[in-house]
Amino acid sequence: MNLFNNCIKAMTVIVSAFAGQAAFAADGITIDHLGVNNTLVRVDGQDGYLMIPVQDSADDAKIDVLVDGRTAETIYVRLAKSKTDFTVPFDLSPYKGKNVIFNIVTPQGRSSVREAKEDACWKSFELSKKFKIKNTDKYRPAYHHTPLWGWMNDPNGMFYKDGTWHLYYQRNPYGSKWQNMTWGHSTSTDLINWEQQPDAIRPDGLGAIFSGSCVIDHNNTAGMGKDAVIALYTSAATSQIQSLAASNDNGTSFTKYAANPVLTLESEARDPNMFWNQETGEWNMVLAHALDHEMLFFTSPDLKTWTLQSAFGKGEGCQDGVWECPDLFELPVEGSNDKKWVLICNINPGGPFGGSAVQYFIGDWNGKKFTADTDLSGKIPTKWLDFGKDNYALVSWSDAPGNRRTVIGWMSNWQYAADVPTMQFRSANTLPREMGLFRAPDGQIYASCAPAPELEALRGKQIKAVKTAKINSKPKTYALPAENGGICEILVDLDTRKAKTISLEMSNNANEKVILTYNSEAHTLSFDRTQSGIVDFSESFPAVTTAPTFEADGHLSLRIFVDRSSMEVFGNGGRCVMTNLVFPTKPYTSLSISAQGGNARISNLKIYGIHN
Ligand code: FRU
């Protein structure tokens, strides 16, 4: 299956002159086998793309790209062994007119060169002037951001400038599993439609490009230009160090700071997140001291010199996994004049339902030190932002307009992200969300995460409207749209004051279903995906996740976003959130609502199709 529509087709297959060692190769490509696990692929003087054949289940081959005899870059690719699942483009344009050799070391043990020459990849290397992506994955979301091809994990480095939302992300351009970490880049003017841009920051001699953040240097404190976009990221090789890069073209291309790294520590630390502190007039930065399960706080006048000020987290919150991808920002508390700081500490594993999750702390920040609020017992409580399994590495956009705190997460979980049933791309982002703070009935302050207001523009035809209906144990059933993979938005207000629980079941005629159950006595909402469709690719996938609803009056207003492989449930304006992947073999076409332990009432049920 070749996933790209190569414009240059009908390539003549030629036999290389070195008949003894060489294999078949397409025009412009020479392949020399040097031994059981070493092959040279030459593409001298070419422009365009070398299409590299990938088999998702193969082991990585190490490829040194030699340009005029020097190693220009090293990439790792799961070169096709028994079959080609898809091809990935390697951009030759930076090396146009030069001698380019891919010096390939394949890992698989072969007994002879003859056997090594049988690998499927050698017949499928091709040159292409252009390539176009044609989606081949039925589970590719219709209205969530995904990379056009290849693997994606954390969103990072996001900023808003001149009407454009910039989203960068951890990306493997050469395969659909984690590798070759590069900052991919997509932009949007409406938080719905995303356009993939050229990769922004690529690995170098200091390492792969792990997560980090971007700020706009309005006052040119770094001396890299007024309003330059400055990225601080982790260079990851044997160790993890922090490096800087600047963009003077609004984040399209970055120039790495020649004196990198700007910060080194003696232990694993990553994912720097910086912001300008108006009150202290300096830059602040949080860095995940991953294996020490804490966050470190730094200050800087110029983004290049960083001074350690304090640490938070040792022994606090969930300590089960590594601490990663921090964020720190201030928000008003709804219904009061108070403001509080939110410290985001993504952790993996250790999430409430296994694997990855977004943990946060509420507290105060004085520019140097974070002090977390305690509960009535004097302890610092562990709080979770999303009670589904598939929202990780969530961080916010810097410089978002109107004091918004807009966030987005990686809609997957390290437990099974590499095994989900997609191939051409792996992983989508969550929908963009707006964060807020509210005081819950237990007296404590919690974070809310509501769908970004822009998402209302997704609503297409209204398929159903029910003003109000009594619900009892006999399910009331409503049709969901079947077209376009069943994508829709469902809104409904639940009143369960006279019932114990109310269930919403979304199902298809293959008996696959997701069951949401609101328990108004326990004040919880649960999401059962154990029978949601394809669930057997990982033991950790089938699950029932349960969220506190943070209400005391038996009312829950739901907004449910259904895309081709996900369901995001928001209760009471984002006070209760669950994000879960689902892989139904057919769209869910029916919504059945029933009540248990008494009668309930629904009102304002609205089902919308989604604009194409
Ligand atoms: C989180 C993470 C980060 C790191 C990145 C590497 O998912 O482990 O800590 O920067 O992924 O891709």
Side-chain angles (χ1 to χ4, degrees):
M1 169 176 61
N2 189 331
L3 301 173
F4 302 106
N5 259 355
N6 297 338
C7 292
I8 295 198
K9 271 284 157 201
M11 302 247 181
T12 16
V13 173
I14 56 159
V15 183
S16 158
F18 307 96
Q21 294 111 41
F24 293 103
D27 265 348
I29 302 175
T30 312
I31 296 181
D32 296 313
H33 294 289
L34 309 181
V36 284
N37 67 346
N38 192 194
T39 299
L40 300 183
V41 174
R42 292 186 85 104
V43 288
D44 293 345
Q46 300 287 345
D47 195 4
Y49 300 92
L50 176 69
M51 304 304 297
I52 306 179
V54 176
Q55 183 173 1
D56 203 46
S57 60
D59 291 326
D60 273 324
K62 178 174 185 252
I63 306 181
D64 286 320
V65 184
L66 308 179
V67 178
D68 288 346
R70 284 171 185 268
T71 304
E73 47 187 307
T74 300
I75 60 173
Y76 295 84
V77 184
R78 295 170 178 265
L79 282 184
K81 190 161 189 278
S82 55
K83 68 175 171 74
T84 298
D85 289 327
F86 53 91
T87 57
V88 289
F90 182 94
D91 185 5
L92 294 168
S93 61
Y95 311 126
K96 192 177 167 189
K98 305 224 163 120
N99 297 307
V100 182
I101 296 179
F102 291 77
N103 184 1
I104 300 174
V105 178
T106 49
Q108 301 96 341
R110 271 60 161 227
S111 55
S112 63
V113 187
R114 185 185 299 272
E115 194 190 326
K117 283 163 71 174
E118 295 302 312
D119 281 6
C121 58
W122 312 125
K123 294 183 204 80
S124 308
F125 274 102
E126 278 183 356
L127 287 165
S128 175
K129 284 274 176 278
K130 294 184 193 157
F131 68 95
K132 265 205 234 147
I133 304 296
K134 187 167 157 261
N135 180 36
T136 58
D137 279 312
K138 92 171 196 183
Y139 292 121
R140 189 190 282 277
Y143 60 94
H144 287 76
H145 172 260
T146 56
L148 291 176
W149 76 95
W151 164 274
M152 174 177 82
N153 55 289
D154 316 353
N156 56 210
M158 298 108 70
F159 69 92
Y160 174 91
K161 192 165 186 276
D162 305 333
T164 300
W165 300 86
H166 292 263
L167 168 62
Y168 300 86
Y169 40 94
Q170 291 286 283
R171 163 153 203 259
N172 180 6
Y174 306 117
S176 296
K177 292 197 195 286
W178 187 92
Q179 194 49 281
N180 304 308
M181 277 304 115
T182 297
W183 274 29
H185 182 203
S186 296
T187 53
S188 174
T189 52
D190 59 7
L191 287 174
I192 294 176
N193 296 289
W194 293 96
E195 202 175 317
Q196 188 165 318
Q197 305 292 341
D199 289 339
I201 313 182
R202 295 170 57 83
D204 57 28
L206 290 177
I209 314 298
F210 275 17
S211 287
S213 57
C214 283
V215 289
I216 300 170
D217 191 7
H218 295 292
N219 301 323
N220 195 15
T221 60
M224 294 174 179
K226 184 171 158 31
D227 292 330
V229 179
I230 309 287
L232 185 65
Y233 57 87
T234 302
S235 295
T238 310
S239 305
Q240 299 183 350
I241 52 185
Q242 316 314 317
S243 298
L244 203 76
S247 169
N248 298 110
D249 59 4
N250 288 331
T252 304
S253 63
F254 283 83
T255 305
K256 287 171 185 151
Y257 179 49
N260 276 337
V262 294
L263 177 62
T264 62
L265 295 176
E266 287 176 0
S267 49
E268 204 163 302
R270 56 178 176 269
D271 312 335
N273 198 314
M274 4 166 230
F275 62 95
W276 177 253
N277 190 321
Q278 195 61 44
E279 268 162 37
T280 58
E282 59 185 353
W283 295 102
N284 293 172
M285 187 259 282
V286 196
L287 188 65
H289 207 192
L291 306 180
D292 293 66
H293 313 273
E294 63 176 358
M295 296 301 177
L296 304 177
F297 300 95
F298 295 79
T299 55
S300 171
D302 60 2
L303 297 163
K304 292 183 280 200
T305 44
W306 292 97
T307 308
L308 177 64
Q309 299 292 351
S310 64
F312 168 82
K314 269 235 162 93
E316 300 299 351
C318 180
Q319 294 277 317
D320 294 351
V322 287
W323 284 36
E324 305 183 310
C325 305
D327 202 351
L328 178 62
F329 44 81
E330 192 181 31
L331 283 173
V333 183
E334 204 183 298
S336 77
N337 293 324
D338 297 343
K339 282 184 164 187
K340 278 283 173 188
W341 285 80
V342 184
L343 175 64
I344 302 273
C345 304
N346 287 278
I347 69 151
N348 175 62
F353 308 102
S356 326
V358 191
Q359 175 184 222
Y360 68 93
F361 299 92
I362 303 287
D364 296 306
W365 170 249
N366 66 6
K368 289 192 163 50
K369 191 174 184 298
F370 179 79
T371 312
D373 286 359
T374 52
D375 60 17
L376 289 177
S377 68
K379 289 213 180 81
I380 296 174
T382 305
K383 292 179 176 166
W384 304 102
L385 199 60
D386 192 309
F387 286 82
K389 280 195 74 145
D390 299 302
N391 183 353
Y392 190 56
L394 172 140
V395 285
S396 66
W397 265 272
S398 62
D399 272 44
N403 281 330
R404 294 170 66 170
R405 191 49 68 171
T406 311
V407 296
I408 197 165
W410 172 44
M411 194 155 58
S412 200
N413 190 312
W414 279 115
Q415 283 182 324
Y416 43 72
D419 305 314
V420 297
T422 64
M423 182 71 86
Q424 181 186 21
F425 80 99
R426 276 222 181 80
S427 299
N429 287 106
T430 66
L431 288 173
R433 301 161 183 197
E434 299 296 315
M435 284 198 58
L437 294 177
F438 66 99
R439 203 174 277 282
D442 68 1
Q444 285 193 53
I445 296 170
Y446 292 87
S448 63
C449 230
E454 283 85 349
L455 298 174
E456 284 187 23
L458 281 168
R459 286 179 194 161
K461 198 167 145 215
Q462 187 167 339
I463 288 145
K464 187 83 202 167
V466 176
K467 230 172 167 209
T468 180
K470 201 165 149 188
I471 302 290
N472 56 31
S473 58
K474 189 164 166 284
K476 274 209 163 60
T477 298
Y478 307 96
L480 296 174
E483 65 273 12
N484 213 354
I487 58 176
C488 64
E489 183 189 348
I490 305 167
L491 293 93
V492 63
D493 297 338
L494 311 177
D495 176 348
T496 53
R497 281 171 300 174
K498 296 194 180 120
K500 206 172 149 198
T501 59
I502 180 163
S503 297
L504 287 77
E505 186 177 301
M506 275 128 319
S507 60
N508 62 19
N509 60 10
N511 209 17
E512 296 165 345
K513 53 188 154 203
V514 165
I515 307 163
L516 299 178
T517 305
Y518 171 37
N519 184 327
S520 53
E521 281 179 9
H523 304 288
T524 57
L525 179 69
S526 66
F527 186 127
D528 180 344
R529 70 170 177 194
T530 54
Q531 303 166 78
S532 55
I534 303 176
V535 297
D536 61 358
F537 52 87
S538 161
E539 266 181 8
S540 311
F541 189 79
V544 181
T545 69
T546 304
T549 48
F550 294 116
E551 48 62 51
D553 64 358
H555 284 89
L556 190 63
S557 271
L558 290 180
R559 262 181 95 178
I560 305 169
F561 289 87
V562 183
D563 205 342
R564 293 183 184 133
S565 49
S566 64
M567 221 182 260
E568 287 156 280
V569 183
F570 299 88
N572 287 348
R575 292 179 173 211
C576 152
V577 187
M578 280 189 281
T579 304
N580 280 316
L581 293 175
V582 286
F583 297 96
T585 57
K586 296 170 176 180
Y588 304 123
T589 45
S590 148
L591 166 68
S592 295
I593 310 182
S594 60
Q596 301 77 34
N599 292 336
R601 181 163 288 283
I602 60 163
S603 47
N604 305 315
L605 170 69
K606 290 175 193 148
I607 302 173
Y608 291 98
I610 300 281
H611 278 304
N612 237 343

